[in-house]
Amino acid sequence: MATLVLDNGAYTAKIGYSQEKVSVIPNCQFRSKTSRLKTFTANQLDEIKDPSGLFYILPFQKGYLVNWDVQRKVWDHLFGKEMFKVEFADTSIIITEPYFNFTSIQESMNEILFEEYQFQSALRTNTGSLSAHHYFHTKPSELCCLVVDSGFSFTHISPYCRSKKMKEGVRRINVGGKLLTNHLKEIISYRQLHVMDETHVINQVKEDVCYVSQQFYKDMEIAQMKGEENTVMRDYVLPDFSSIKKGFCKPREEMVFNGKYKTGEQILRLANERFAVPEMLFHPSDIGIQEMGISEAIVHSIESLPEEMQPHFYQNIVLTGGNTLFPGFRERLEAELRSLVPAHLPVSVLLPANPITYSWEGGKLLAHNPDYDEMVVTREDYEENGHCICEEKFDL
């Protein structure tokens, strides 16, 4: 019996068999400007010759799975002969869904997994639960952990005690990678170049040059300086998809501070955008989103829990999701928490080696758990009892 682990994110799907390695694949379809009629699915992205003006068709909206036609196409591609060659009747699947998912979406997912694909058994869970499982596996002496999952649509903060989710402590901030990329597109379009259609390119820019500032106002002052003194400023070479396939940051010594470049490349000059964009994770109010930043939300979450557990949560904060890869993210979060948390409590924030696949690895460990067969719903169970058996069994 094979077990397929699928961490079905809104931006990428992390997928692989529990005996093998994980693959991270875009969870969407694409259309390119040049071939309007042809739709590319998931990792066929690499076949597109000219990814400028790439049009994304996403299965998720505002963090929830609403576009089933697209999701089906992506799954058909992932489960099909080109990728994982799934033998459904002989495969168990662990699949993730967002917190407080809508019942209608859960029921559609049950139907698709059991009736269309006819998996032998399935386990529906939250990404955070898998991350917590991974964390408790690596640190068996700990009883509590707080999973901070900052992904494409949301940032979730979820406390776990002995692998049980504590629902009353779950917090959600509506700031994720999608919002950061869109905001960066707006800033650049307003200041330099019209890039509102270039989601793919600007997402790359964000990943290459953005960082989290440790002292926002000090960096702001540096970003306003002229010439060589401005250590924040970077020149980003945009791809033209013929000679330059992928954008990159110009090395400091090649930058021209006054005057034009002779080389004829298209250049984006970025200064305060580099840290003002990720700053929205810590201060959503900067762009008029009236919500707490991550550090406040963590304190708010932990303070809603029983007092004797609070010190354990502050010591076991684990970061997952793509946004945690911004340089300086962990340090900034730890520093902000340190100033908010009572002085006698130690604070420790862990950034795993690969925060994007951390929860997938947790699913892999779960699949080898001796109690795994107790947790799943088999197809026979489902055919006999319908949706209610899934509601009972899955701790969601």
Side-chain angles (χ1 to χ4, degrees):
M1 181 84 162
T3 305
L4 186 67
V5 183
L6 169 56
D7 178 6
N8 195 49
Y11 179 61
T12 53
K14 281 66 72 178
I15 183 172
Y17 287 109
S18 61
Q19 291 82 13
E20 295 166 18
K21 290 234 173 349
V22 61
S23 311
V24 181
I25 288 156
N27 190 7
C28 53
Q29 291 186 306
F30 307 95
R31 284 207 184 101
S32 74
K33 262 188 186 157
T34 39
S35 50
R36 274 279 164 81
L37 301 169
K38 190 158 188 247
T39 313
F40 298 87
T41 304
N43 59 348
Q44 294 171 344
L45 173 63
D46 312 333
E47 299 167 19
I48 299 177
K49 301 283 183 294
D50 173 13
S52 66
L54 199 62
F55 183 65
Y56 282 80
I57 313 165
L58 301 165
F60 282 76
Q61 271 176 19
K62 300 204 173 164
Y64 293 102
L65 215 180
V66 289
N67 198 337
W68 283 105
D69 298 339
V70 177
Q71 187 63 82
R72 255 195 211 95
K73 297 252 173 52
V74 175
W75 283 351
D76 287 342
H77 177 75
L78 293 180
F79 300 154
K81 0 187 210 314
E82 290 177 29
M83 302 275 304
F84 285 90
K85 309 181 184 59
V86 180
E87 299 284 337
F88 298 107
D90 201 30
T91 304
S92 173
I93 186 167
I94 300 180
I95 190 165
T96 61
E97 62 174 29
Y99 291 96
F100 308 118
N101 197 3
F102 299 99
T103 323
S104 55
I105 299 177
Q106 294 178 328
E107 291 183 355
S108 307
M109 190 181 275
N110 293 339
E111 284 166 23
I112 287 172
L113 293 179
F114 286 125
E115 293 172 27
E116 284 187 33
Y117 291 122
Q118 304 200 333
F119 276 99
Q120 162 57 40
S121 61
L123 170 62
R124 255 200 358 256
T125 180
N126 301 125
T127 320
S129 308
L130 298 181
S131 302
H133 187 79
H134 188 170
Y135 188 80
F136 291 132
H137 187 88
T138 44
K139 302 200 174 179
S141 58
E142 296 297 345
L143 297 174
C144 302
C145 88
L146 186 86
V147 178
V148 178
D149 181 15
S150 187
F152 183 66
S153 322
F154 302 135
T155 297
H156 275 111
I157 289 150
S158 14
Y160 285 84
C161 176
R162 291 196 171 90
S163 295
K164 285 295 270 189
K165 175 172 71 193
M166 307 190 67
K167 280 208 171 91
E168 67 280 11
V170 177
R171 298 286 177 274
R172 180 180 95 191
I173 306 165
N174 294 316
V175 179
K178 173 171 62 176
L179 188 76
L180 301 187
T181 299
N182 287 344
H183 189 61
L184 184 58
K185 280 197 307 195
E186 282 178 26
I187 296 179
I188 293 173
S189 301
Y190 185 67
R191 296 179 184 173
Q192 317 182 43
L193 264 177
H194 179 71
V195 290
M196 290 309 282
D197 304 332
E198 301 294 345
T199 311
H200 186 69
V201 177
I202 300 303
N203 196 57
Q204 195 60 52
V205 175
K206 177 189 78 173
E207 289 175 13
D208 291 342
V209 304
C210 285
Y211 70 96
V212 174
S213 162
Q214 304 305 313
Q215 295 168 303
F216 186 77
Y217 292 106
K218 191 168 163 230
D219 280 2
M220 266 305 189
E221 282 169 17
I222 297 173
Q224 285 163 352
M225 292 178 175
K226 295 273 180 283
E228 297 278 342
E229 295 172 347
N230 187 340
T231 50
V232 171
M233 188 165 69
R234 292 283 182 278
D235 281 344
Y236 189 86
V237 180
L238 289 169
D240 57 8
F241 300 116
S242 57
S243 55
I244 311 169
K245 287 275 180 277
K246 193 175 171 219
F248 60 92
C249 215
K250 262 217 182 307
R252 192 83 192 152
E253 55 275 10
E254 288 177 25
M255 281 174 64
V256 177
F257 286 97
N258 27 25
K260 286 265 169 49
Y261 282 96
K262 307 280 186 288
T263 45
E265 303 149 328
Q266 223 179 359
I267 301 278
L268 277 184
R269 178 156 280 190
L270 300 159
N272 65 14
E273 297 90 346
R274 291 184 58 209
F275 55 87
V277 168
E279 184 69 18
M280 291 153 46
L281 291 160
F282 295 90
H283 287 118
S285 54
D286 284 358
I287 57 159
I289 295 176
Q290 295 176 348
E291 290 178 14
M292 294 184 272
I294 293 191
S295 20
E296 289 170 84
I298 288 175
V299 174
H300 194 265
S301 162
I302 294 179
E303 284 180 349
S304 70
L305 301 166
E307 205 166 302
E308 63 278 9
M309 293 160 113
Q310 293 180 11
H312 295 285
F313 282 115
Y314 285 124
Q315 279 181 44
N316 295 287
I317 298 172
V318 59
L319 303 177
T320 63
N323 296 331
T324 58
L325 289 167
F326 283 122
F329 185 94
R330 193 197 71 79
E331 293 78 4
R332 167 76 180 270
L333 186 60
E334 198 159 58
E336 283 200 2
L337 281 171
R338 188 60 280 170
S339 64
L340 291 167
V341 176
H344 63 281
L345 299 179
V347 171
S348 137
V349 181
L350 171 80
L351 179 65
N354 191 339
I356 292 179
T357 57
Y358 190 76
S359 59
W360 184 90
E361 299 289 344
K364 178 175 177 168
L365 292 167
L366 189 65
H368 298 298
N369 192 340
D371 303 333
Y372 177 67
D373 294 337
E374 254 70 286
M375 300 181 220
V376 296
V377 167
T378 62
R379 209 170 111 229
E380 290 84 65
D381 293 343
Y382 175 79
E383 283 169 358
E384 201 172 310
N385 305 303
H387 296 303
C388 59
I389 183 84
C390 297
E391 274 179 47
E392 283 167 30
K393 262 211 156 153
F394 300 145
D395 167 43
L396 290 167

